[in-house]
Amino acid sequence: QARLALTRGARLLRTPTMAVRPSRRPLSLLLLAGVLAGLALAEEPVAEPAAELAADAAAEGAVEGAPEEMDETKKLLAQLTIGMVSEVVDERTFEIRDAAAKTGRKRIHIRLGNVAAPTKGAGPSEEQHQARLGESKAALEKLVGKQMIWWKAAPDEHQPPKPDDLEVAAVVIGDVWMIDGRHVNSMLAKLGHLEREELYKEELARDILTAEADVQKKKAYKDLEEALKESDKQKRKEAEERVKEEKMKPEYFGMAGWFGLGTLGVIVVAALCNFGRPAQKKNKNMNKKRGPCEKLWMKLKGA
């Protein structure tokens, strides 16, 4: 039995552990939100409950993450309303079904705030201006057409009066975000499809949620790249300074230098001594006229 237990234990150790699969809960919740919001477009009594479930599911999926981030995300989402775009009206207005029934109307027109339609100006013709407006509308359609969006109404003092007939769509001015958090107002203004016109202050007039995280991540990568470049530049500068310092240092002979100097001295002494060979006798010229000193020396030498 002991051997059997050891064998089973060894098999368990050899069995690879199952990798922890990432939770697909946010994705499934967003898909559920899309389906339920699609149901909300129908003119049936179940539209409002379905839309409410869609909003709750999308909000719960958006706040899924680290516990320290959930509170901040919930506070942010509490300020927003989720909806499904049914139709784009013009270059800065689209229609949604009021799923949460906050306005008491089935249909409302969301108009992008703090932006204005492109002005005609003196240069372009009317046809060119209408073509530009068409391009702006197409850009808005590409971003939000048949898509789920987040929106937040501007302050009441900036809202147009609502019609008395509840069947007529009311216009609500505000800020709009795509489901991933990209700020539609800013995107269209940045691309030149709309012109900026600040009428009110909105602290959330920027990318939020996933889009904000992506922007921060890109900024972090850019800062890291710049820091690495600065570090390389500093290291290169320090290396150049070390090379200059090495060049400025005095050079010493060392053992090799003294050995070379001694070898040179030996060669010089050997050359002076004719390398040990006897000196060659010069042939005397007998006809050469001797001077007085030389004559005296010859006499002394002969004596």
Side-chain angles (χ1 to χ4, degrees):
Q1 291 180 357
R3 183 178 299 175
L4 181 60
L6 290 174
T7 304
R8 290 180 178 176
R11 288 179 181 176
L12 289 175
L13 291 175
R14 289 196 299 268
T15 303
T17 57
M18 295 180 64
V20 179
R21 299 180 62 184
S23 173
R24 296 185 178 180
R25 188 179 180 190
L27 179 59
S28 62
L29 289 174
L30 289 177
L31 291 176
L32 176 61
V35 174
L36 294 177
L39 295 176
L41 295 177
E43 296 286 347
E44 298 179 1
V46 298
E48 291 185 3
E52 291 176 359
L53 288 175
D56 294 340
E60 186 176 354
V63 301
E64 188 76 20
E68 59 272 12
E69 298 178 359
M70 292 180 61
D71 292 339
E72 294 297 329
T73 307
K74 285 183 177 180
K75 291 179 182 178
L76 186 147
L77 293 180
Q79 306 177 51
L80 309 180
T81 304
I82 193 169
M84 173 72 77
V85 177
S86 59
E87 181 186 359
V88 174
V89 179
D90 56 32
E91 62 279 353
R92 63 190 184 109
T93 309
F94 56 86
E95 181 179 295
I96 67 170
R97 302 283 175 161
D98 191 10
K102 289 185 177 181
T103 62
R105 301 172 185 269
K106 294 181 179 180
R107 298 184 301 116
I108 57 175
H109 286 176
I110 303 296
R111 181 169 295 167
L112 303 181
N114 283 337
V115 289
T119 55
K120 180 177 178 298
S125 63
E126 184 62 27
E127 293 181 356
Q128 293 174 335
H129 179 62
Q130 292 300 323
R132 184 181 179 187
L133 293 179
E135 293 177 357
S136 300
K137 180 180 179 181
L140 179 61
E141 176 79 30
K142 185 177 180 180
L143 287 177
V144 303
K146 306 299 180 182
Q147 300 291 327
M148 293 189 65
I149 52 93
W150 302 96
W151 63 276
K152 180 182 178 182
D156 294 338
E157 57 268 22
H158 298 285
Q159 299 295 341
K162 294 179 175 58
D164 296 332
D165 188 357
L166 296 179
E167 296 299 326
V168 178
V171 177
V172 177
I173 298 175
D175 289 79
V176 178
W177 296 264
M178 300 184 70
I179 199 64
D180 61 356
R182 286 177 290 172
H183 190 226
V184 177
N185 309 48
S186 299
M187 290 176 63
L188 293 176
K190 185 176 182 180
L191 293 173
H193 296 297
L194 297 176
E195 297 178 358
R196 296 186 182 275
E197 183 183 35
E198 186 173 354
L199 299 177
Y200 60 92
K201 295 289 185 179
E202 175 53 59
E203 60 179 5
L204 295 180
R206 52 179 170 79
D207 291 342
I208 58 175
L209 302 176
T210 307
E212 182 182 20
D214 292 339
V215 171
Q216 292 177 354
K217 186 184 296 183
K218 290 179 181 178
K219 185 178 183 302
Y221 282 133
K222 185 177 180 180
D223 293 341
L224 177 60
E225 184 179 356
E226 292 178 356
L228 291 175
K229 289 182 179 179
E230 190 67 24
S231 178
D232 291 340
K233 187 185 298 184
Q234 184 65 25
K235 290 180 179 179
R236 193 180 302 113
K237 184 178 180 181
E238 292 177 356
E240 292 176 354
E241 291 179 354
R242 286 197 297 268
V243 170
K244 290 181 180 179
E245 290 178 358
E246 291 294 332
K247 290 181 178 180
M248 295 296 293
K249 288 182 179 179
E251 298 182 358
Y252 300 98
F253 283 105
M255 295 298 296
W258 287 111
F259 178 78
L261 187 60
T263 303
L264 181 61
V266 170
I267 293 174
V268 173
V269 172
L272 293 175
C273 297
N274 200 18
F275 297 97
R277 293 178 296 182
Q280 294 181 358
K281 295 183 178 180
K282 297 181 180 180
N283 295 327
K284 295 183 179 180
N285 188 1
M286 302 303 294
N287 297 324
K288 182 180 178 181
K289 186 176 181 180
R290 297 184 177 87
C293 294
E294 189 176 0
K295 290 179 180 180
L296 179 60
W297 174 252
M298 291 300 295
K299 288 180 179 181
L300 292 174
K301 191 177 178 181

